[in-house]
Amino acid sequence: MKKQLITFLVMLCCSLSASGVEKLDWPFDQAKNVAAITTKQVVKDSLPVLMVVHYADDDSWAFTCGTTNKSEDLMIVGMGEIISLDPTLYSIADLPPGWSATRTSMKSQWVRTREE
């Protein structure tokens, strides 16, 4: 996946900020209604999210299954939608921009890596 394509799609689909009250209940640095990248396999085939990227250049997020990197498999969803599909993602809400996290299964621990 090209980072420029992802950034463009996120910028195109992003909503503006949410209310301050929502931010108290929501641990991510982007609001529930802000666009995030995922794949058809995660949303339509219920594959688990095994890789998360928090991009440093625009603070956007990608939640993928790790089975595809084809642009035609990408989907734009709201942050709240992807988290509702997999509440275990709350555990990486503090992932800093410029970092990624991977795991081998939904029951595995996340391994965090700083992107270079």
Side-chain angles (χ1 to χ4, degrees), residues 3-58:
K3 193 173 183 181
Q4 294 84 3
L5 173 63
I6 292 171
T7 300
F8 173 76
L9 291 172
V10 170
M11 298 286 288
L12 182 64
C13 296
C14 277
S15 299
L16 295 175
S17 66
S19 69
V21 173
E22 182 178 307
K23 290 181 181 179
L24 294 175
D25 300 328
W26 182 249
F28 289 88
D29 66 348
Q30 299 294 318
K32 290 180 183 180
N33 64 342
V34 171
I37 301 295
T38 191
T39 62
K40 293 176 185 176
Q41 290 78 359
V42 169
V43 175
K44 295 181 178 179
D45 299 334
S46 300
L47 289 184
V49 172
L50 301 179
M51 181 175 185
V52 175
V53 179
H54 190 180
Y55 294 102
D57 57 349
D58 63 0

Side-chain angles (χ1 to χ4, degrees), residues 80-100:
E81 182 179 354
I82 196 70
I83 303 310
S84 71
L85 291 174
D86 181 358
T88 68
L89 296 172
Y90 277 107
S91 67
I92 52 90
D94 63 343
L95 189 70
W99 286 66
S100 64

